[in-house]
Amino acid sequence: MSALIIGLTGGIASGKTAATQAFQNRGAFVADADVAARLAVAPGSTGLAEVVEAFGAGALADDGSLDRAAMRRRIFDDPAARQRLEAIIHPRVRALLQLECEQATSPYAVAAIPLLTEGGRAAYPWLQRVLVIDVPRELQLARLLARDGIDAALAERMVAAQATREARLAIADDVIVNDGTLEALDAAVGALDVQYRGMAAAGVQASPGRRPLDR
């Protein structure tokens, strides 16, 4: 079992995927909330059955899986529907992430949770530390435009729909400011890998506070 569980989060286009890959390259186990969310409503699961009970058979695609596009349209302008769906999926995601991390054999485990800030750190009491992959807003928008090929107005709306940069930093124990190259990001992850392995070996589970690392 991993002695230390790290929650990794960050805004859209901040570099979370590259950071988690860098941790995996160093032998750390990574549990992905997006993967867990798909498993939570996989065909035959109790989660999918609850979604159908709440939203009707229209929530299903022809193959019996969750029709994600239809559900996105359904909850987009309906906060109550969004809350019903999240109440079904999110507890299952958290439970699966916790189980996977606790059963990991690496010295420490990483739970990649894009919406950790939005859900509140209190919803994840089993996380010993939170790592935020941070990026200046202007660079975040530029990366989003280049990555998704969207216009500036949509990029602004996508960033605005998430928690603020300040809110993410407020829950962080560790911060990587990802405003440089992939090599710089990898080096920052390498420094944290050493730190986390040392903490796990020493049985350190609580942190005295945020320790930012600039690349």
Side-chain angles (χ1 to χ4, degrees):
M1 294 177 64
S2 293
L4 183 69
I5 303 177
I6 312 298
L8 184 151
T9 194
I12 189 170
S14 61
K16 298 184 299 298
T17 300
T20 56
Q21 184 61 57
F23 278 111
Q24 288 178 311
N25 291 344
R26 289 169 169 81
F29 174 82
V30 175
D32 189 323
D34 290 337
V35 173
R38 290 193 290 272
L39 292 174
V41 289
S45 66
T46 59
L48 184 59
E50 285 194 31
V51 171
V52 173
E53 182 179 355
F55 295 96
L60 295 176
D62 292 341
D63 63 358
S65 64
L66 180 68
D67 190 333
R68 297 180 182 278
M71 287 305 301
R72 279 195 296 270
R73 292 192 296 270
R74 186 162 183 175
I75 69 175
F76 185 77
D77 289 319
D78 188 343
R82 184 181 301 110
Q83 290 174 1
R84 286 202 304 275
L85 184 62
E86 290 175 349
I88 295 170
I89 296 177
H90 287 188
R92 289 176 166 82
V93 170
R94 291 193 292 267
L96 182 56
L97 290 175
Q98 181 179 4
L99 179 64
E100 289 181 339
C101 287
E102 289 179 346
Q103 291 182 344
T105 57
S106 54
Y108 69 90
V110 176
I113 311 171
L115 300 180
L116 196 161
T117 307
E118 288 82 349
R121 184 166 178 172
Y124 302 88
W126 43 272
L127 295 177
Q128 277 85 51
R129 292 180 79 86
V130 169
L131 166 62
V132 168
I133 309 301
D134 182 46
V135 64
R137 181 181 175 88
E138 295 76 14
L139 182 55
Q140 181 184 24
L141 289 169
R143 287 176 177 171
L144 187 54
L145 289 170
R147 187 190 74 181
D148 292 359
I150 57 178
D151 60 39
L154 178 55
E156 288 277 3
R157 290 198 299 272
M158 291 172 70
V159 171
Q162 296 190 322
T164 65
R165 184 183 184 190
E166 292 74 19
R168 284 191 294 270
L169 292 175
I171 68 166
D173 298 298
D174 302 300
V175 178
I176 292 176
V177 181
N178 183 29
D179 59 358
T181 64
L182 283 175
E183 290 77 14
L185 174 62
D186 187 73
V189 170
L192 282 176
D193 175 69
V194 173
Q195 175 183 328
Y196 293 157
R197 287 177 182 275
M199 292 177 67
V204 177
Q205 295 189 345
S207 66
R210 189 186 352 157
R211 299 177 53 144
L213 291 177
D214 293 324
R215 296 190 298 279

